[in-house]
Amino acid sequence: WNLESDGPLKIDGEWEFYKNRLYSPNDFDSNSVIQKSYLPVPGLWNKQSSDKSGIGYGTYRLILKNLPQNKIFALNINRIQSAYKIWINGKLMNTVGIPGINKKESTAGWSSDDIYFTATDIECEIIIQVSNFHHQKGGIEHSIYFGADQIISARSLRLSAVSIFLLGVLLIMATYHL
């Protein structure tokens, strides 16, 4: 995939998933992780199990390989419906809400974000802790896009422009009908 000319890449597919575990990069470095399974992203964990409530928590992990070094890349995360933390190559890049192991220890969050980072190696490890105790959908529901920084920025700008245009159309229609 040519990240410069082919546009952003949806990093959909089977991600490592650690149910009922909130692992950080240190846990993977020390090989203290257990209960690895695979879960499709995008996909809700409540559609993958008998418990349909969406309540729970877990850690997603993906390693991207063969990246050009010393280039600036970005991830576009579109509304994970609950609290999450994301690390890229061991560095905490973003926190939305407070992920926790129960409702008392967690705080829900909701945000769409672009996360920029520099690839210092040919591999990139992405770790996302997700917890959900406040919403009916648990897990990563939408695709995560990966690409060159300017490609992701342009994509986000286009989506914002379309949203503003549609809002304007709705306001004009509402005003006309009033």
Side-chain angles (χ1 to χ4, degrees), residues 40-101:
V41 172
L44 301 174
W45 62 52
N46 43 311
K47 291 188 177 181
Q48 305 296 321
S49 68
S50 58
D51 179 19
K52 301 298 182 195
S53 69
I55 302 298
Y57 60 97
T59 303
Y60 292 85
R61 181 174 180 241
L62 180 72
I63 298 176
L64 300 172
K65 297 185 177 194
N66 299 322
L67 296 177
Q69 292 180 337
N70 300 316
K71 293 198 103 181
I72 300 174
F73 293 104
L75 289 177
N76 173 257
I77 297 180
N78 185 12
R79 292 181 308 162
I80 295 176
Q81 299 283 2
S82 47
Y84 71 91
K85 284 184 182 180
I86 182 168
W87 286 267
I88 298 176
N89 291 333
K91 183 179 177 187
L92 181 63
M93 301 301 285
N94 196 19
T95 301
V96 174
I98 301 171
I101 60 171

Short mmCIF file of all heavy atoms in Angstrom, two decimals, residues 40-101:
data_model
loop_
_atom_site.label_atom_id
_atom_site.label_comp_id
_atom_site.label_asym_id
_atom_site.label_seq_id
_atom_site.Cartn_x
_atom_site.Cartn_y
_atom_site.Cartn_z
N PRO A 40 -12.46 -8.89 15.46
CA PRO A 40 -12.46 -8.04 14.27
C PRO A 40 -12.64 -6.56 14.62
O PRO A 40 -13.41 -6.22 15.51
CB PRO A 40 -13.66 -8.55 13.46
CG PRO A 40 -14.54 -9.21 14.45
CD PRO A 40 -13.67 -9.72 15.54
N VAL A 41 -11.90 -5.73 13.94
CA VAL A 41 -12.05 -4.27 14.03
C VAL A 41 -12.32 -3.80 12.62
O VAL A 41 -11.57 -4.11 11.71
CB VAL A 41 -10.77 -3.61 14.59
CG1 VAL A 41 -10.86 -2.09 14.49
CG2 VAL A 41 -10.52 -4.03 16.03
N PRO A 42 -13.40 -3.08 12.36
CA PRO A 42 -14.41 -2.67 13.33
C PRO A 42 -15.31 -3.84 13.72
O PRO A 42 -15.54 -4.75 12.94
CB PRO A 42 -15.21 -1.59 12.59
CG PRO A 42 -15.07 -1.95 11.15
CD PRO A 42 -13.71 -2.57 11.01
N GLY A 43 -15.80 -3.76 14.91
CA GLY A 43 -16.71 -4.78 15.42
C GLY A 43 -16.94 -4.57 16.89
O GLY A 43 -16.05 -4.13 17.62
N LEU A 44 -18.13 -4.83 17.33
CA LEU A 44 -18.48 -4.67 18.73
C LEU A 44 -18.28 -5.98 19.46
O LEU A 44 -18.64 -7.03 18.94
CB LEU A 44 -19.94 -4.22 18.86
CG LEU A 44 -20.26 -2.90 18.16
CD1 LEU A 44 -21.75 -2.62 18.23
CD2 LEU A 44 -19.47 -1.76 18.78
N TRP A 45 -17.72 -5.93 20.65
CA TRP A 45 -17.49 -7.17 21.38
C TRP A 45 -18.80 -7.79 21.84
O TRP A 45 -18.87 -8.99 22.03
CB TRP A 45 -16.49 -7.03 22.50
CG TRP A 45 -16.82 -6.09 23.63
CD1 TRP A 45 -17.96 -6.07 24.37
CD2 TRP A 45 -15.99 -5.06 24.14
NE1 TRP A 45 -17.89 -5.08 25.31
CE2 TRP A 45 -16.69 -4.44 25.20
CE3 TRP A 45 -14.73 -4.60 23.83
CZ2 TRP A 45 -16.16 -3.39 25.94
CZ3 TRP A 45 -14.22 -3.56 24.57
CH2 TRP A 45 -14.91 -2.97 25.60
N ASN A 46 -19.86 -7.00 21.99
CA ASN A 46 -21.13 -7.60 22.40
C ASN A 46 -21.78 -8.39 21.26
O ASN A 46 -22.68 -9.17 21.50
CB ASN A 46 -22.11 -6.58 23.00
CG ASN A 46 -22.20 -5.27 22.26
OD1 ASN A 46 -21.19 -4.67 21.96
ND2 ASN A 46 -23.40 -4.83 22.01
N LYS A 47 -21.33 -8.22 20.02
CA LYS A 47 -21.82 -9.05 18.92
C LYS A 47 -21.01 -10.34 18.79
O LYS A 47 -21.37 -11.22 18.05
CB LYS A 47 -21.76 -8.27 17.60
CG LYS A 47 -22.76 -7.14 17.56
CD LYS A 47 -22.82 -6.51 16.20
CE LYS A 47 -23.89 -5.43 16.19
NZ LYS A 47 -24.00 -4.79 14.89
N GLN A 48 -19.90 -10.42 19.53
CA GLN A 48 -19.03 -11.59 19.46
C GLN A 48 -19.24 -12.55 20.62
O GLN A 48 -18.64 -13.62 20.66
CB GLN A 48 -17.56 -11.15 19.45
CG GLN A 48 -17.21 -10.17 18.36
CD GLN A 48 -17.37 -10.75 16.99
OE1 GLN A 48 -17.06 -11.90 16.75
NE2 GLN A 48 -17.87 -9.96 16.06
N SER A 49 -20.08 -12.18 21.59
CA SER A 49 -20.26 -13.03 22.76
C SER A 49 -21.73 -13.19 23.08
O SER A 49 -22.59 -12.55 22.47
CB SER A 49 -19.52 -12.43 23.97
OG SER A 49 -20.16 -11.24 24.37
N SER A 50 -22.02 -14.02 24.06
CA SER A 50 -23.41 -14.25 24.46
C SER A 50 -23.96 -13.07 25.25
O SER A 50 -25.16 -12.86 25.31
CB SER A 50 -23.51 -15.54 25.29
OG SER A 50 -22.68 -15.43 26.43
N ASP A 51 -23.09 -12.29 25.88
CA ASP A 51 -23.52 -11.10 26.61
C ASP A 51 -23.70 -9.96 25.61
O ASP A 51 -22.75 -9.44 25.05
CB ASP A 51 -22.46 -10.72 27.65
CG ASP A 51 -22.83 -9.46 28.43
OD1 ASP A 51 -24.02 -9.08 28.43
OD2 ASP A 51 -21.93 -8.87 29.04
N LYS A 52 -24.92 -9.54 25.38
CA LYS A 52 -25.23 -8.53 24.37
C LYS A 52 -25.29 -7.12 24.94
O LYS A 52 -25.65 -6.19 24.24
CB LYS A 52 -26.58 -8.86 23.70
CG LYS A 52 -26.61 -10.21 23.03
CD LYS A 52 -25.59 -10.31 21.92
CE LYS A 52 -25.67 -11.66 21.24
NZ LYS A 52 -24.54 -11.95 20.41
N SER A 53 -24.94 -6.94 26.21
CA SER A 53 -25.08 -5.63 26.84
C SER A 53 -24.02 -4.63 26.39
O SER A 53 -24.23 -3.43 26.45
CB SER A 53 -25.02 -5.77 28.35
OG SER A 53 -23.71 -6.13 28.76
N GLY A 54 -22.85 -5.09 25.96
CA GLY A 54 -21.77 -4.19 25.59
C GLY A 54 -20.92 -3.75 26.77
O GLY A 54 -19.93 -3.06 26.61
N ILE A 55 -21.32 -4.15 27.97
CA ILE A 55 -20.58 -3.78 29.18
C ILE A 55 -19.29 -4.60 29.24
O ILE A 55 -19.30 -5.80 29.00
CB ILE A 55 -21.43 -4.04 30.44
CG1 ILE A 55 -22.73 -3.26 30.39
CG2 ILE A 55 -20.64 -3.75 31.71
CD1 ILE A 55 -22.57 -1.76 30.34
N GLY A 56 -18.19 -3.94 29.58
CA GLY A 56 -16.94 -4.66 29.73
C GLY A 56 -15.74 -3.79 29.41
O GLY A 56 -15.85 -2.58 29.23
N TYR A 57 -14.59 -4.44 29.32
CA TYR A 57 -13.36 -3.74 29.02
C TYR A 57 -12.36 -4.71 28.41
O TYR A 57 -12.50 -5.93 28.52
CB TYR A 57 -12.78 -3.06 30.26
CG TYR A 57 -12.45 -3.99 31.40
CD1 TYR A 57 -11.15 -4.44 31.58
CD2 TYR A 57 -13.43 -4.43 32.29
CE1 TYR A 57 -10.84 -5.30 32.63
CE2 TYR A 57 -13.12 -5.27 33.34
CZ TYR A 57 -11.83 -5.71 33.50
OH TYR A 57 -11.51 -6.55 34.53
N GLY A 58 -11.36 -4.16 27.75
CA GLY A 58 -10.34 -4.99 27.14
C GLY A 58 -9.27 -4.14 26.47
O GLY A 58 -9.37 -2.91 26.41
N THR A 59 -8.27 -4.82 25.95
CA THR A 59 -7.15 -4.16 25.29
C THR A 59 -7.01 -4.71 23.88
O THR A 59 -6.99 -5.93 23.68
CB THR A 59 -5.84 -4.39 26.07
OG1 THR A 59 -6.00 -3.92 27.40
CG2 THR A 59 -4.67 -3.68 25.41
N TYR A 60 -6.91 -3.81 22.91
CA TYR A 60 -6.67 -4.16 21.52
C TYR A 60 -5.20 -3.88 21.21
O TYR A 60 -4.63 -2.91 21.71
CB TYR A 60 -7.51 -3.30 20.57
CG TYR A 60 -8.99 -3.54 20.63
CD1 TYR A 60 -9.80 -2.91 21.57
CD2 TYR A 60 -9.60 -4.39 19.71
CE1 TYR A 60 -11.16 -3.12 21.60
CE2 TYR A 60 -10.97 -4.60 19.73
CZ TYR A 60 -11.74 -3.96 20.68
OH TYR A 60 -13.10 -4.16 20.70
N ARG A 61 -4.62 -4.71 20.33
CA ARG A 61 -3.22 -4.51 19.94
C ARG A 61 -3.03 -4.89 18.48
O ARG A 61 -3.55 -5.90 18.02
CB ARG A 61 -2.30 -5.36 20.81
CG ARG A 61 -0.82 -5.18 20.49
CD ARG A 61 0.01 -5.97 21.49
NE ARG A 61 1.41 -5.84 21.24
CZ ARG A 61 2.22 -6.86 20.95
NH1 ARG A 61 1.75 -8.09 20.90
NH2 ARG A 61 3.49 -6.66 20.74
N LEU A 62 -2.30 -4.04 17.76
CA LEU A 62 -1.99 -4.28 16.36
C LEU A 62 -0.57 -3.80 16.09
O LEU A 62 -0.15 -2.78 16.62
CB LEU A 62 -2.96 -3.52 15.44
CG LEU A 62 -2.75 -3.70 13.94
CD1 LEU A 62 -3.18 -5.09 13.50
CD2 LEU A 62 -3.51 -2.65 13.17
N ILE A 63 0.16 -4.55 15.26
CA ILE A 63 1.50 -4.14 14.86
C ILE A 63 1.50 -3.95 13.35
O ILE A 63 1.18 -4.87 12.60
CB ILE A 63 2.56 -5.18 15.28
CG1 ILE A 63 2.58 -5.30 16.80
CG2 ILE A 63 3.93 -4.78 14.74
CD1 ILE A 63 3.52 -6.34 17.34
N LEU A 64 1.83 -2.72 12.92
CA LEU A 64 1.99 -2.41 11.51
C LEU A 64 3.45 -2.60 11.16
O LEU A 64 4.33 -2.17 11.90
CB LEU A 64 1.56 -0.96 11.22
CG LEU A 64 0.12 -0.61 11.55
CD1 LEU A 64 -0.10 0.89 11.40
CD2 LEU A 64 -0.84 -1.37 10.66
N LYS A 65 3.70 -3.22 10.00
CA LYS A 65 5.09 -3.54 9.62
C LYS A 65 5.46 -2.87 8.31
O LYS A 65 4.60 -2.47 7.54
CB LYS A 65 5.26 -5.06 9.50
CG LYS A 65 5.04 -5.77 10.82
CD LYS A 65 5.33 -7.24 10.71
CE LYS A 65 5.16 -7.87 12.10
NZ LYS A 65 5.72 -9.18 12.16
N ASN A 66 6.76 -2.78 8.07
CA ASN A 66 7.34 -2.26 6.83
C ASN A 66 6.98 -0.81 6.57
O ASN A 66 6.66 -0.43 5.45
CB ASN A 66 6.95 -3.13 5.63
CG ASN A 66 7.44 -4.54 5.78
OD1 ASN A 66 8.54 -4.78 6.28
ND2 ASN A 66 6.62 -5.50 5.37
N LEU A 67 7.06 0.01 7.60
CA LEU A 67 6.80 1.43 7.46
C LEU A 67 8.08 2.16 7.09
O LEU A 67 9.16 1.79 7.56
CB LEU A 67 6.28 2.02 8.77
CG LEU A 67 4.95 1.51 9.28
CD1 LEU A 67 4.63 2.15 10.62
CD2 LEU A 67 3.85 1.80 8.29
N PRO A 68 7.97 3.20 6.27
CA PRO A 68 9.16 4.03 6.04
C PRO A 68 9.52 4.78 7.33
O PRO A 68 8.65 5.27 8.03
CB PRO A 68 8.72 5.01 4.95
CG PRO A 68 7.30 4.73 4.67
CD PRO A 68 6.83 3.61 5.50
N GLN A 69 10.80 4.84 7.62
CA GLN A 69 11.24 5.47 8.87
C GLN A 69 11.28 6.99 8.73
O GLN A 69 11.43 7.53 7.63
CB GLN A 69 12.62 4.96 9.26
CG GLN A 69 12.61 3.51 9.67
CD GLN A 69 13.99 3.03 10.05
OE1 GLN A 69 14.99 3.58 9.64
NE2 GLN A 69 14.04 1.98 10.85
N ASN A 70 11.15 7.64 9.89
CA ASN A 70 11.26 9.09 10.01
C ASN A 70 10.24 9.84 9.15
O ASN A 70 10.53 10.93 8.67
CB ASN A 70 12.69 9.56 9.71
CG ASN A 70 13.68 8.94 10.67
OD1 ASN A 70 13.42 8.87 11.86
ND2 ASN A 70 14.79 8.46 10.15
N LYS A 71 9.08 9.27 8.98
CA LYS A 71 7.98 9.95 8.30
C LYS A 71 6.88 10.20 9.32
O LYS A 71 6.72 9.46 10.28
CB LYS A 71 7.44 9.11 7.15
CG LYS A 71 8.44 8.94 6.02
CD LYS A 71 7.75 8.51 4.78
CE LYS A 71 7.66 9.72 3.94
NZ LYS A 71 7.06 9.73 2.71
N ILE A 72 6.11 11.23 9.07
CA ILE A 72 5.00 11.56 9.96
C ILE A 72 3.75 10.87 9.44
O ILE A 72 3.38 11.02 8.28
CB ILE A 72 4.79 13.08 10.07
CG1 ILE A 72 6.04 13.74 10.61
CG2 ILE A 72 3.58 13.38 10.95
CD1 ILE A 72 5.99 15.25 10.61
N PHE A 73 3.11 10.10 10.32
CA PHE A 73 1.88 9.40 10.00
C PHE A 73 0.78 9.88 10.93
O PHE A 73 1.02 10.59 11.89
CB PHE A 73 2.07 7.88 10.16
CG PHE A 73 3.01 7.29 9.16
CD1 PHE A 73 4.30 6.94 9.53
CD2 PHE A 73 2.61 7.08 7.85
CE1 PHE A 73 5.17 6.38 8.62
CE2 PHE A 73 3.48 6.53 6.93
CZ PHE A 73 4.76 6.19 7.31
N ALA A 74 -0.43 9.44 10.62
CA ALA A 74 -1.57 9.80 11.47
C ALA A 74 -2.57 8.65 11.49
O ALA A 74 -2.66 7.86 10.55
CB ALA A 74 -2.24 11.06 10.96
N LEU A 75 -3.30 8.57 12.59
CA LEU A 75 -4.44 7.68 12.73
C LEU A 75 -5.68 8.56 12.86
O LEU A 75 -5.65 9.58 13.55
CB LEU A 75 -4.34 6.83 13.99
CG LEU A 75 -3.31 5.73 14.06
CD1 LEU A 75 -3.35 5.07 15.43
CD2 LEU A 75 -3.56 4.70 12.99
N ASN A 76 -6.75 8.16 12.19
CA ASN A 76 -8.03 8.84 12.36
C ASN A 76 -8.96 7.87 13.09
O ASN A 76 -9.27 6.80 12.57
CB ASN A 76 -8.63 9.23 11.01
CG ASN A 76 -10.03 9.78 11.16
OD1 ASN A 76 -11.00 9.09 10.87
ND2 ASN A 76 -10.14 11.00 11.61
N ILE A 77 -9.33 8.25 14.32
CA ILE A 77 -10.22 7.42 15.12
C ILE A 77 -11.58 8.09 15.12
O ILE A 77 -11.72 9.25 15.52
CB ILE A 77 -9.67 7.27 16.56
CG1 ILE A 77 -8.34 6.54 16.48
CG2 ILE A 77 -10.67 6.53 17.43
CD1 ILE A 77 -7.68 6.32 17.79
N ASN A 78 -12.57 7.33 14.68
CA ASN A 78 -13.93 7.86 14.55
C ASN A 78 -14.82 7.29 15.63
O ASN A 78 -15.31 6.17 15.52
CB ASN A 78 -14.47 7.52 13.16
CG ASN A 78 -15.82 8.14 12.90
OD1 ASN A 78 -16.26 8.99 13.66
ND2 ASN A 78 -16.48 7.71 11.86
N ARG A 79 -14.98 8.03 16.70
CA ARG A 79 -15.96 7.75 17.75
C ARG A 79 -15.93 6.34 18.32
O ARG A 79 -16.83 5.54 18.06
CB ARG A 79 -17.37 8.03 17.25
CG ARG A 79 -17.63 9.46 16.99
CD ARG A 79 -19.02 9.66 16.53
NE ARG A 79 -19.30 8.77 15.40
CZ ARG A 79 -20.50 8.45 14.97
NH1 ARG A 79 -21.54 8.91 15.56
NH2 ARG A 79 -20.66 7.67 13.95
N ILE A 80 -14.98 6.02 19.10
CA ILE A 80 -15.09 4.82 19.94
C ILE A 80 -16.10 5.21 21.01
O ILE A 80 -15.93 6.21 21.70
CB ILE A 80 -13.73 4.42 20.54
CG1 ILE A 80 -12.76 4.01 19.42
CG2 ILE A 80 -13.89 3.30 21.55
CD1 ILE A 80 -11.37 3.69 19.87
N GLN A 81 -17.18 4.44 21.14
CA GLN A 81 -18.35 4.86 21.92
C GLN A 81 -18.17 4.78 23.43
O GLN A 81 -19.14 4.71 24.15
CB GLN A 81 -19.55 4.00 21.52
CG GLN A 81 -19.93 4.11 20.08
CD GLN A 81 -20.69 5.39 19.75
OE1 GLN A 81 -20.91 6.25 20.60
NE2 GLN A 81 -21.08 5.53 18.51
N SER A 82 -16.97 4.73 23.89
CA SER A 82 -16.73 4.60 25.32
C SER A 82 -15.36 5.17 25.63
O SER A 82 -14.75 5.81 24.80
CB SER A 82 -16.84 3.14 25.73
OG SER A 82 -16.12 2.32 24.85
N ALA A 83 -14.88 4.95 26.83
CA ALA A 83 -13.58 5.48 27.23
C ALA A 83 -12.45 4.67 26.59
O ALA A 83 -12.55 3.46 26.44
CB ALA A 83 -13.45 5.43 28.75
N TYR A 84 -11.37 5.37 26.21
CA TYR A 84 -10.21 4.65 25.69
C TYR A 84 -8.93 5.44 25.89
O TYR A 84 -8.93 6.65 26.05
CB TYR A 84 -10.39 4.30 24.21
CG TYR A 84 -10.32 5.46 23.24
CD1 TYR A 84 -9.12 5.84 22.66
CD2 TYR A 84 -11.47 6.16 22.88
CE1 TYR A 84 -9.06 6.89 21.77
CE2 TYR A 84 -11.42 7.20 21.98
CZ TYR A 84 -10.21 7.56 21.43
OH TYR A 84 -10.15 8.61 20.55
N LYS A 85 -7.82 4.70 25.89
CA LYS A 85 -6.47 5.25 25.86
C LYS A 85 -5.77 4.58 24.70
O LYS A 85 -5.96 3.39 24.45
CB LYS A 85 -5.69 4.90 27.14
CG LYS A 85 -6.05 5.69 28.34
CD LYS A 85 -5.12 5.31 29.50
CE LYS A 85 -5.49 6.06 30.74
NZ LYS A 85 -4.59 5.70 31.86
N ILE A 86 -4.94 5.35 24.01
CA ILE A 86 -4.19 4.78 22.89
C ILE A 86 -2.70 5.10 23.04
O ILE A 86 -2.34 6.23 23.33
CB ILE A 86 -4.75 5.27 21.53
CG1 ILE A 86 -3.99 4.62 20.38
CG2 ILE A 86 -4.73 6.77 21.43
CD1 ILE A 86 -4.63 4.82 19.03
N TRP A 87 -1.90 4.06 22.87
CA TRP A 87 -0.45 4.19 22.83
C TRP A 87 0.02 3.83 21.44
O TRP A 87 -0.47 2.89 20.82
CB TRP A 87 0.21 3.22 23.79
CG TRP A 87 0.12 3.53 25.24
CD1 TRP A 87 1.02 4.24 25.98
CD2 TRP A 87 -0.91 3.12 26.15
NE1 TRP A 87 0.60 4.29 27.29
CE2 TRP A 87 -0.58 3.62 27.42
CE3 TRP A 87 -2.10 2.40 26.00
CZ2 TRP A 87 -1.37 3.42 28.53
CZ3 TRP A 87 -2.89 2.18 27.11
CH2 TRP A 87 -2.52 2.69 28.36
N ILE A 88 1.01 4.56 20.97
CA ILE A 88 1.68 4.22 19.71
C ILE A 88 3.17 4.13 20.02
O ILE A 88 3.77 5.09 20.53
CB ILE A 88 1.40 5.26 18.61
CG1 ILE A 88 -0.10 5.30 18.32
CG2 ILE A 88 2.19 4.93 17.34
CD1 ILE A 88 -0.53 6.35 17.33
N ASN A 89 3.72 2.97 19.75
CA ASN A 89 5.14 2.68 20.04
C ASN A 89 5.50 3.02 21.48
O ASN A 89 6.54 3.62 21.76
CB ASN A 89 6.05 3.42 19.06
CG ASN A 89 5.93 2.87 17.66
OD1 ASN A 89 5.60 1.72 17.47
ND2 ASN A 89 6.18 3.72 16.67
N GLY A 90 4.63 2.64 22.41
CA GLY A 90 4.91 2.81 23.82
C GLY A 90 4.63 4.18 24.39
O GLY A 90 4.78 4.40 25.58
N LYS A 91 4.21 5.12 23.56
CA LYS A 91 3.96 6.49 24.01
C LYS A 91 2.45 6.74 24.07
O LYS A 91 1.75 6.52 23.09
CB LYS A 91 4.62 7.48 23.06
CG LYS A 91 4.47 8.92 23.49
CD LYS A 91 5.16 9.85 22.52
CE LYS A 91 4.93 11.29 22.93
NZ LYS A 91 5.44 12.22 21.92
N LEU A 92 1.97 7.20 25.22
CA LEU A 92 0.55 7.53 25.36
C LEU A 92 0.24 8.72 24.47
O LEU A 92 0.82 9.79 24.64
CB LEU A 92 0.20 7.84 26.82
CG LEU A 92 -1.26 8.17 27.10
CD1 LEU A 92 -2.17 6.98 26.77
CD2 LEU A 92 -1.45 8.58 28.55
N MET A 93 -0.67 8.52 23.51
CA MET A 93 -0.97 9.56 22.53
C MET A 93 -2.29 10.27 22.79
O MET A 93 -2.44 11.43 22.41
CB MET A 93 -0.99 8.95 21.12
CG MET A 93 0.30 8.30 20.71
SD MET A 93 1.71 9.40 20.71
CE MET A 93 1.41 10.36 19.26
N ASN A 94 -3.26 9.58 23.38
CA ASN A 94 -4.57 10.21 23.58
C ASN A 94 -5.36 9.44 24.62
O ASN A 94 -5.24 8.21 24.73
CB ASN A 94 -5.34 10.24 22.26
CG ASN A 94 -6.52 11.19 22.31
OD1 ASN A 94 -6.58 12.08 23.15
ND2 ASN A 94 -7.46 11.01 21.42
N THR A 95 -6.17 10.15 25.37
CA THR A 95 -7.09 9.57 26.32
C THR A 95 -8.43 10.25 26.16
O THR A 95 -8.51 11.47 26.12
CB THR A 95 -6.59 9.78 27.78
OG1 THR A 95 -5.31 9.18 27.92
CG2 THR A 95 -7.54 9.14 28.77
N VAL A 96 -9.47 9.44 26.03
CA VAL A 96 -10.84 9.96 25.97
C VAL A 96 -11.60 9.28 27.09
O VAL A 96 -11.71 8.06 27.13
CB VAL A 96 -11.49 9.68 24.60
CG1 VAL A 96 -12.95 10.09 24.60
CG2 VAL A 96 -10.73 10.40 23.49
N GLY A 97 -12.12 10.07 28.02
CA GLY A 97 -12.73 9.49 29.20
C GLY A 97 -11.66 8.86 30.07
O GLY A 97 -10.47 9.15 29.93
N ILE A 98 -12.10 7.99 30.96
CA ILE A 98 -11.16 7.24 31.81
C ILE A 98 -11.53 5.77 31.73
O ILE A 98 -12.57 5.36 32.24
CB ILE A 98 -11.23 7.71 33.28
CG1 ILE A 98 -10.89 9.20 33.37
CG2 ILE A 98 -10.28 6.88 34.13
CD1 ILE A 98 -11.13 9.79 34.74
N PRO A 99 -10.72 4.95 31.05
CA PRO A 99 -11.01 3.52 31.01
C PRO A 99 -10.80 2.90 32.39
O PRO A 99 -9.85 3.25 33.09
CB PRO A 99 -10.02 2.94 30.00
CG PRO A 99 -9.27 4.08 29.43
CD PRO A 99 -9.56 5.29 30.25
N GLY A 100 -11.68 2.00 32.77
CA GLY A 100 -11.57 1.33 34.05
C GLY A 100 -12.16 -0.06 34.01
O GLY A 100 -12.70 -0.49 32.99
N ILE A 101 -12.08 -0.75 35.14
CA ILE A 101 -12.55 -2.14 35.20
C ILE A 101 -13.98 -2.25 35.72
O ILE A 101 -14.54 -3.34 35.76
CB ILE A 101 -11.60 -3.01 36.05
CG1 ILE A 101 -11.50 -2.50 37.48
CG2 ILE A 101 -10.23 -3.08 35.39
CD1 ILE A 101 -10.76 -3.43 38.41
#
